């Protein structure tokens, strides 16, 4: 799986390095359905991915040792978690968090 940091449209925040050139990437997958489980499962197979967090996750993601479920109390709390864990990539599955403004947090 390619991270795609060479794509010109993708802009990294100031002070952040491109994941393909730096250390292993931490990924956050937002959602608790089967689609998000499949995305997290496939992301976890990449040698460039250090850890995959799933918020809130489900029973299937809880059983996979490569995935870690995290609570999803709200968008601001999830943004704080992402900053604290130095998440390099966030994948949002369901439309509800997008409509609530998760990309603006």
């Amino acid at each position: 799986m390619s991270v795609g940091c060479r794509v010109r449209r993708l802009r990294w925040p100031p002070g952040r390095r491109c994941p393909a050139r730096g250390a292993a990437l931490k990924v956050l997958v937002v959602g608790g359905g089967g689609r998000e489980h499949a995305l997290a499962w496939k992301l976890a197979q990449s040698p460039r991915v250090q850890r995959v967090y799933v918020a809130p996750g489900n029973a299937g993601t809880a059983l996979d040792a490569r995935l870690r479920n995290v609570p999803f109390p709200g968008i601001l709390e999830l943004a704080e978690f992402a900053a604290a864990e130095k998440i390099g990539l966030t994948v949002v599955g369901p439309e509800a968090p997008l409509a609530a403004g998760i990309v603006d947090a």
Side-chain angles (χ1 to χ4, degrees):
M1 185 181 103
S2 174
V3 175
C5 65
R6 293 188 179 133
V7 177
R8 294 175 192 248
R9 292 175 293 180
L10 186 58
R11 294 192 175 105
W12 296 97
R16 304 282 307 262
R17 291 175 26 185
C18 173
R21 296 182 190 160
L25 183 66
K26 291 183 181 179
V27 179
L28 173 63
V29 177
V30 179
R35 170 183 32 200
E36 292 80 23
H37 183 177
L39 287 168
W41 174 77
K42 193 61 179 177
L43 286 164
Q45 294 177 3
S46 172
R48 292 184 176 168
V49 173
Q50 173 186 357
R51 167 78 71 178
V52 178
Y53 298 95
V54 186
N58 59 36
T61 56
L63 294 176
D64 194 328
R66 298 169 298 176
L67 309 177
R68 180 172 163 221
N69 287 351
V70 295
F72 184 12
I75 292 174
L76 293 178
E77 292 85 356
L78 198 56
E80 290 173 1
F81 170 79
E85 289 294 325
K86 297 184 175 141
I87 301 295
L89 174 69
T90 301
V91 179
V92 183
E95 292 179 23
L98 291 172
I102 196 166
V103 295
D104 299 323

